[in-house]
C-alpha cells in the first residue's frame, strides 16, 4: 500500500522536484493552497514506516488515511482549474537552409501560429469497506497520441489567451479518460480480488445460516407430525378413559402447533430475509470508484510557417508558392 501512496505523492508533487534518500521522501516545495489545507509549510519529510517516523524528527508518517493524503485529496477536489502556459521555444534562424527544392527560392515570408498540448490531470478514489486506493495521473496529448514528455525542463513565458483561437480539446480529453479507465482497471485488481474473497465468505456464511434455520423449522414440523402419529397410536390402545382424555388433549395441542408452524410460511419469510442480507452484503462489497478531472494545463508554443516562392518553371512559365511549417518542440517539418 505504501508503494501506491508513494506513486501518488510523486505524481502530485512532480513539478516541485521531490527526491528520496535513505528511505525519506523530500518534498522541497508545495502549492500555497496545499500548505494552507495541511496547516504546515514545505519542505516535508515523508516516511512510510513507523520505525522510520520515530527515527526522523519532524517527519510525516504516510499511511492509508493519513492527514497528509487527506490534505492532498481535499486540495485536488477543490482545484478543478485550467492553466495556460506558454513555452519558451523558438524556431532556429537557419532552419530554412534545410529545405531543399528543385527550383530556386526567390522569396521567403513567414508567419506564426501556435501548437497546443493539453495536459489533463485525473484523480480517482476507489473504496469499499476498509479497502481504499487513490490514483493520480496526468496525460499530455498531441493530436491522438499520449506523450511521455517532460515540459518542465523548458522556461515558461507570460501567456496571452488572445494568441490562441477557440480551443476544442474534447477528443484529447476523451482519449485521456479512456486510457485512465484502463489504467484504473489494472490498478484496482488487487482490491477487487480481496473484496471478492470477502464477499464469497460472507455469502457462504449467510447461505449456511438460513439453510440451517429452514432445516430446523422443517425438522420441527416433522417431529410434531411424528408425535401426533405416536399419540394417536397410543390412543387406539388405551383402555382407560382418563388416559384417553390426556392423549386427546395432547393430540389437539400438537395439531394446533403443527398448523401454526405451517401457516406462518416460515420458509418464504426466511428466504426473503436471506435475499435481503445477500443483497446487503453485495452492496457493501461493491467497489465505488469516484473519478475527477482536477486540472487542465494548456501548453502552447509558436509554430513558424514559411511561405516559399519558387522561380518560374522554364517549361510552363509558371511560378509556384509552397508552405512549410516547422515544429521546434519536435524538431520536424510539416507539409514538406
Amino acid at each position: 500500500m505504501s508503494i501506491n501512496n508513494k506513486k501518488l505523492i510523486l505524481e502530485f508533487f512532480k513539478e516541485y522536484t521531490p527526491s528520496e534518500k535513505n528511505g525519506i521522501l523530500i518534498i522541497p516545495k508545495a502549492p500555497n493552497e496545499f500548505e494552507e489545507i495541511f496547516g504546515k509549510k514545505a519542505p516535508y519529510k515523508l516516511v512510510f514506516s513507523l520505525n522510520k517516523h520515530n527515527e526522523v524528527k519532524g517527519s510525516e508518517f504516510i499511511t492509508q488515511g493519513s492527514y497528509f493524503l487527506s490534505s492532498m485529496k481535499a486540495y485536488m477536489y477543490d482545484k478543478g482549474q485550467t492553466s495556460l502556459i506558454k513555452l519558451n521555444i523558438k524556431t532556429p534562424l537557419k532552419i530554412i537552409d534545410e529545405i531543399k527544392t528543385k527550383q530556386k527560392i526567390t522569396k521567403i515570408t513567414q508567419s506564426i501560429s501556435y501548437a497546443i498540448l493539453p495536459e489533463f490531470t485525473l484523480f480517482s478514489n476507489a473504496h469499499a469497506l476498509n479497502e481504499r486506493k487513490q490514483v493520480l495521473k496526468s496525460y499530455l496529448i498531441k493530436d491522438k497520441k499520449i506523450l511521455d514528455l517532460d515540459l518542465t525542463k523548458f522556461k515558461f513565458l507570460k501567456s496571452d489567451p488572445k494568441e490562441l483561437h477557440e480551443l476544442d480539446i474534447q477528443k484529447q480529453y476523451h482519449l485521456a479518460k479512456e486510457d485512465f479507465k484502463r489504467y484504473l482497471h489494472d490498478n484496482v485488481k488487487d482490491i477487487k480480488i480481496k473484496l471478492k474473497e470477502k464477499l464469497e465468505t460472507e455469502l457462504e456464511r449467510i447461505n449456511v445460516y438460513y439453510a440451517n434455520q429452514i432445516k430446523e423449522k422443517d425438522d420441527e414440523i416433522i417431529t410434531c407430525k411424528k408425535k401426533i402419529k405416536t399419540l394417536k397410536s397410543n390412543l387406539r390402545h388405551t383402555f382407560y378413559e382418563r388416559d384417553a382424555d390426556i392423549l386427546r388433549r395432547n393430540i389437539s395441542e400438537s395439531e394446533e402447533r403443527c398448523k401454526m408452524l405451517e401457516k406462518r410460511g416460515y420458509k418464504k419469510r426466511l428466504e426473503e430475509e436471506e435475499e435481503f442480507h445477500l443483497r446487503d452484503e453485495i452492496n457493501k462489497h461493491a467497489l465505488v470508484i469516484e473519478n475527477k478531472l482536477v486540472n487542465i494545463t494548456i501548453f502552447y508554443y509558436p509554430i513558424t510557417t514559411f511561405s516559399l516562392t519558387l522561380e518560374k518553371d522554364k517549361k510552363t512559365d509558371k511560378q509556384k508558392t509552397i508552405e512549410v511549417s516547422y515544429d521546434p518542440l519536435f524538431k520536424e517539418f510539416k507539409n514538406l
Side-chain angles (χ1 to χ4, degrees):
M1 192 63 76
S2 62
I3 294 173
N4 293 319
N5 289 337
K6 188 184 291 185
K7 284 172 66 178
L8 180 72
I9 292 166
L10 287 170
E11 179 66 29
F12 183 87
F13 290 103
K14 68 178 182 181
E15 294 180 12
Y16 300 90
T17 59
S19 60
E20 189 171 9
K21 188 176 180 181
N22 298 326
I24 306 168
L25 186 60
I26 307 294
I27 310 296
K29 293 181 180 179
N32 292 333
E33 297 95 325
F34 174 80
E35 291 178 332
E36 288 175 11
I37 293 169
F38 185 56
K40 183 179 176 182
K41 293 278 188 182
Y44 306 119
K45 300 175 186 176
L46 309 182
V47 295
F48 299 86
S49 74
L50 190 57
N51 289 338
K52 201 73 178 176
H53 178 53
N54 293 330
E55 291 175 11
V56 182
K57 188 177 179 182
S59 63
E60 307 294 336
F61 178 37
I62 304 301
T63 184
Q64 201 63 37
S66 64
Y67 186 62
F68 193 87
L69 292 178
S70 299
S71 299
M72 283 170 54
K73 181 182 174 183
Y75 171 85
M76 287 185 285
Y77 267 84
D78 190 45
K79 197 70 175 166
Q81 66 178 22
T82 301
S83 307
L84 190 63
I85 296 178
K86 185 176 183 179
L87 299 175
N88 186 16
I89 304 174
K90 295 179 180 179
T91 297
L93 293 173
K94 292 188 178 182
I95 198 68
I96 194 69
D97 296 338
E98 294 186 17
I99 301 175
K100 306 299 179 184
T101 60
K102 289 183 179 180
Q103 293 146 284
K104 185 179 177 182
I105 299 171
T106 59
K107 185 181 178 183
I108 301 173
T109 58
Q110 60 185 57
S111 59
I112 299 295
S113 59
Y114 291 94
I116 66 161
L117 295 175
E119 183 181 63
F120 305 94
T121 301
L122 296 159
F123 174 71
S124 179
N125 182 36
H127 58 91
L129 297 179
N130 294 324
E131 300 295 334
R132 183 179 295 274
K133 180 172 282 189
Q134 295 174 329
V135 178
L136 181 70
K137 189 169 174 61
S138 295
Y139 290 91
L140 184 68
I141 297 176
K142 181 180 187 291
D143 300 326
K144 296 180 181 179
K145 186 179 179 183
I146 297 171
L147 303 177
D148 183 13
L149 188 65
D150 181 13
L151 296 180
T152 58
K153 62 184 179 182
F154 296 101
K155 290 183 179 179
F156 299 156
L157 299 174
K158 185 178 179 181
S159 61
D160 182 0
K162 294 178 182 178
E163 291 178 324
L164 300 177
H165 298 295
E166 271 189 46
L167 295 176
D168 183 5
I169 55 175
Q170 284 300 316
K171 289 180 181 178
Q172 293 96 322
Y173 179 45
H174 179 73
L175 178 64
K177 283 199 300 182
E178 291 303 307
D179 191 88
F180 192 56
K181 284 180 186 176
R182 290 189 289 271
Y183 181 76
L184 282 178
H185 180 266
D186 293 335
N187 269 265
V188 298
K189 273 183 181 176
D190 55 338
I191 290 184
K192 285 184 175 179
I193 291 169
K194 286 181 184 177
L195 289 172
K196 185 181 178 184
E197 290 172 350
K198 288 181 180 179
L199 178 59
E200 287 174 350
T201 301
E202 288 303 309
L203 295 183
E204 177 66 20
R205 178 185 63 79
I206 292 169
N207 287 331
V208 169
Y209 173 79
Y210 280 97
N212 288 336
Q213 288 288 302
I214 291 170
K215 186 177 182 302
E216 282 178 16
K217 296 296 181 185
D218 286 342
D219 290 346
E220 194 173 346
I221 289 177
I222 292 168
T223 302
C224 190
K225 286 180 177 179
K226 283 182 178 179
K227 182 180 179 182
I228 293 168
K229 189 177 179 181
T230 302
L231 288 170
K232 285 182 176 180
S233 176
N234 291 340
L235 180 61
R236 286 195 296 269
H237 298 89
T238 300
F239 298 102
Y240 300 102
E241 191 60 30
R242 181 171 165 277
D243 291 341
D245 287 341
I246 294 171
L247 287 169
R248 289 189 193 98
R249 187 170 62 251
N250 287 340
I251 289 169
S252 178
E253 288 174 356
S254 296
E255 284 177 340
E256 282 299 315
R257 178 164 177 75
C258 243
K259 285 179 184 178
M260 184 184 68
L261 287 170
E262 290 175 335
K263 190 177 178 180
R264 281 182 181 175
Y266 67 89
K267 191 169 185 178
K268 185 180 178 182
R269 178 177 59 80
L270 288 172
E271 284 174 348
E272 287 175 352
E273 213 175 281
E274 179 183 14
E275 182 65 24
F276 170 79
H277 287 294
L278 289 173
R279 287 182 180 277
D280 186 49
E281 287 301 328
I282 289 169
N283 290 333
K284 283 180 184 176
H285 289 77
L287 184 63
V288 178
I289 300 178
E290 300 164 326
N291 295 335
K292 183 177 175 64
L293 173 66
V294 295
N295 191 55
I296 302 174
T297 302
I298 306 292
F299 294 98
Y300 75 103
Y301 59 94
I303 294 279
T304 304
T305 299
F306 298 98
S307 183
L308 310 176
T309 303
L310 307 181
E311 66 178 353
K312 286 184 179 181
D313 187 283
K314 291 179 181 180
K315 292 181 181 180
T316 61
D317 197 36
K318 290 182 179 179
Q319 200 168 40
K320 185 186 286 187
T321 300
I322 59 173
E323 286 192 346
V324 179
S325 297
Y326 182 74
D327 188 322
L329 177 60
F330 297 94
K331 298 179 181 179
E332 61 184 13
F333 285 101
K334 293 180 178 180
N335 306 322
L336 184 58

